[in-house]
Amino acid sequence: MDGEREDLDFWSFVDLAGRRLADEFGFPHRLATRLLLTLNRASAIVTYDLESTVHRPRGHSWAGFRLLFVTWLAGPLEPGRAATLAGMSRAAVSNLAKTLVADGMMVRTPGEHDGRSVILSLTDQGRQAMLEIFAGQNERERQWASVLTETEQHILIMLLDKLIAGRGQFDVRERS
């Protein structure tokens, strides 16, 4: 068994997990486990690749990019709305905004209707940076997507949309 563990890569681990979970522990949903392990792994690989090849070299994190991205495209936003669009917690947006303000990429201005609220928006420097940053991001996205045909890309999007839309069938916890 020790030699088998040393030879494990991710995919042989997934096979091992499926066998052990079903055969030793009696869990019946082997395909569901494989699907979610694969989905999580793919997401982690792509996210790490984008962060390490596009964002870190430019002095940003993946999370920082996500906040800049939604603010760039949606325009000035309250932090709570930015958090929802970026898939982050309100606290994460607040902390990231401090860094992005200090870096000159973003400004915080008082909200119009409530003295306690703030609006996040990009500076001219932030807008210019996003054009350059997203050019790198979009090229890397193209490289990733190019391993699938255009039809396969549409099918994958359709399947992921279906998976996400199905979350209403059970009690899903998500950031929003």
Side-chain angles (χ1 to χ4, degrees):
M1 185 68 171
D2 285 338
E4 183 180 323
R5 276 187 242 148
E6 289 174 10
D7 293 340
L8 285 177
D9 64 9
F10 178 74
W11 299 113
S12 60
F13 168 75
V14 169
D15 290 338
L16 173 70
R19 279 193 315 275
R20 291 199 62 205
L21 290 168
D23 298 346
E24 292 178 40
F25 303 107
F27 290 104
H29 307 295
R30 190 175 185 163
L31 185 58
T33 298
R34 185 176 189 94
L35 170 68
L36 273 289
L37 284 171
T38 303
L39 181 62
N40 280 306
R41 180 61 146 217
S43 177
I45 289 169
V46 170
T47 299
Y48 181 79
D49 178 66
L50 291 172
E51 184 171 43
S52 65
T53 62
V54 176
H55 304 294
R56 287 276 176 214
R58 290 168 174 85
H60 301 285
S61 66
W62 175 248
F65 167 76
R66 286 171 31 215
L67 179 56
L68 288 169
F69 183 74
V70 300
T71 308
W72 178 47
L73 295 176
L77 296 166
E78 291 183 350
R81 186 73 183 132
T84 297
L85 294 175
M88 303 172 149
S89 70
R90 174 85 166 73
V93 165
S94 179
N95 287 331
L96 280 169
K98 290 174 190 170
T99 300
L100 294 169
V101 166
D103 290 346
M105 303 283 281
M106 186 174 273
V107 293
R108 294 168 50 109
T109 56
E112 293 178 11
H113 304 294
D114 179 355
R116 297 173 295 161
S117 69
V118 297
I119 302 294
L120 301 175
S121 57
L122 295 188
T123 62
D124 288 340
Q125 176 187 337
R127 282 187 288 281
Q128 279 304 115
M130 282 306 296
L131 288 171
E132 185 261 328
I133 292 166
F134 193 73
Q137 167 94 13
N138 195 234
E139 175 54 25
R140 197 61 169 188
E141 291 170 342
R142 184 203 59 75
Q143 290 170 351
W144 273 102
S146 72
V147 302
L148 302 174
T149 66
E150 189 173 320
T151 299
E152 289 169 333
Q153 291 174 43
H154 286 290
I155 290 168
L156 181 56
I157 291 166
M158 179 189 69
L159 293 171
L160 291 171
D161 285 347
K162 183 175 182 178
L163 185 67
I164 292 166
R167 73 189 184 279
Q169 298 176 17
F170 49 97
D171 184 27
V172 173
R173 291 181 178 86
E174 60 184 310
R175 287 187 178 107
S176 59

